[in-house]
Amino acid sequence: MRYFIELSYRGTAYHGWQTQANGISIQITLEAALSQRLGKPVYIMGSGRTDAGVHAKQQFAHFDSEEPLDITESLIYSLNCMLPEDIAIHAIFPVSDKTHARFSAISRYYQYHITRQKDAFQGTLTYHFRPQLNVDRMNEACTLLLRHTNFQSFSKARANVTHFHCQLEFAYWRYTNVDCLTFHIKANRFLWGMVRTIVGTMLEIGQERMSLEQFEKIILARDRKIAGRAAPANGLYLVEVGYPAEVFRERT
């Protein structure tokens, strides 16, 4: 049987989602807790990989079990007690054997948070960026972004993908208060490093160091070398992963 896990995490202390040799990941931490609690090795597959330092308000993963599990509030509570305080499981529920956390997902929604004022409690959760920004020009750049589907210029060069096309649903900047600015972007898929590079490039536009014409030329060039630097990881959040409604039909 296959089960979905819905979880959230603060990525500050981790070397990203995926298991790797050079540091502790979200994936390996979850697998260790599940394997210990269920008394057998458990391997999970996430809806996507987040980089080191990136956070998730909503993430999904799946794992398989040879026998049906008794999913109770007590089970979830005990798993959360075993996990570090910066990882939280919200639900575990059965899905079809053909449902895949990554390949069945139909959308991902990210936010990037910027604050102009330093905050002693939010330093690892937002990007402290002091320069004044022309947000109207940044939103004009978003309008240009929505006209395109090939985002190779914003993908890390070592991305192991067959194509660089993403269908954007929306992209815009909005102030949440006088000092906090948030970038919202949703698409069917994202490339490795795409959101952070878009943000870094748009910050150049907001500071009027780059024109809208130059921005569109970057998109059309399909060359990562001419885009702006990637914004720091600490401001980026995966906030929603979308699936067809039937994925959740067995959720209780």
Side-chain angles (χ1 to χ4, degrees):
M1 292 192 65
R2 177 159 292 180
Y3 292 87
F4 258 35
I5 307 172
E6 182 182 2
L7 67 144
S8 59
Y9 52 84
R10 185 170 69 246
T12 307
Y14 300 93
H15 287 240
W17 167 268
Q18 188 179 18
T19 298
Q20 50 196 285
N22 66 340
I24 299 174
S25 70
I26 305 293
Q27 181 181 7
I28 199 168
T29 305
L30 274 171
E31 287 177 343
L34 285 163
S35 297
Q36 182 179 346
R37 179 62 179 80
L38 299 179
K40 55 188 175 183
V42 175
Y43 304 99
I44 63 174
M45 169 63 69
S47 70
R49 304 170 185 175
T50 51
D51 287 342
V54 175
H55 319 291
K57 292 184 177 180
Q58 184 185 64
Q59 170 71 292
F60 286 95
H62 78 248
F63 68 94
D64 294 325
S65 175
E66 292 182 1
E67 299 176 354
L69 301 177
D70 184 18
I71 306 299
T72 63
E73 288 294 326
S74 176
L75 173 65
I76 295 172
Y77 176 78
S78 64
L79 284 167
N80 279 323
C81 288
M82 297 168 68
L83 288 166
E85 65 176 8
D86 48 13
I87 302 176
I89 292 175
H90 303 292
I92 301 175
F93 55 96
V95 295
S96 162
D97 290 347
K98 295 181 180 179
T99 301
H100 194 284
R102 178 182 174 189
F103 298 123
S104 297
I106 56 176
S107 67
R108 282 88 172 172
Y109 171 25
Y110 282 89
Q111 293 177 358
Y112 193 94
H113 297 277
I114 294 174
T115 180
R116 297 195 69 241
Q117 297 294 332
K118 184 177 181 180
D119 188 327
F121 300 100
Q122 297 289 317
T124 60
L125 301 175
T126 59
Y127 178 30
H128 176 216
F129 189 79
R130 185 65 182 168
Q132 291 283 355
L133 295 169
N134 186 330
V135 178
D136 289 338
R137 291 185 81 246
M138 293 162 72
N139 275 321
E140 288 183 58
C142 289
T143 300
L144 290 175
L145 199 68
L146 292 169
R147 297 176 185 173
H148 298 273
T149 61
N150 189 304
F151 298 104
Q152 186 172 354
S153 290
F154 303 111
S155 173
K156 288 186 180 181
R158 294 182 289 111
N160 183 22
V161 294
T162 58
H163 67 88
F164 296 91
H165 291 276
C166 307
Q167 297 291 333
L168 299 189
E169 185 172 332
F170 57 71
Y172 61 91
W173 291 87
R174 181 172 294 167
Y175 277 103
T176 51
N177 61 51
V178 67
D179 290 317
C180 296
L181 179 64
T182 301
F183 179 54
H184 303 258
I185 187 166
K186 184 176 181 179
N188 65 323
R189 67 191 288 262
F190 286 91
L191 305 169
W192 186 19
M194 177 175 162
V195 179
R196 290 169 57 197
T197 306
I198 288 174
V199 170
T201 306
M202 285 196 175
L203 290 177
E204 294 294 305
I205 295 170
Q207 295 173 87
E208 301 188 1
R209 295 177 177 176
M210 179 185 295
S211 68
L212 295 173
E213 291 76 15
Q214 289 173 311
F215 180 65
E216 188 156 37
K217 285 180 180 179
I218 288 172
I219 299 171
L220 294 171
R222 301 179 182 179
D223 183 355
R224 173 64 186 90
K225 295 177 182 178
I226 65 172
R229 68 179 182 88
N234 56 300
L236 183 59
Y237 292 74
L238 174 61
V239 297
E240 181 183 271
V241 184
Y243 291 93
E246 57 266 24
V247 169
F248 301 101
R249 68 177 182 270
E250 294 185 70
R251 185 172 182 172
T252 57

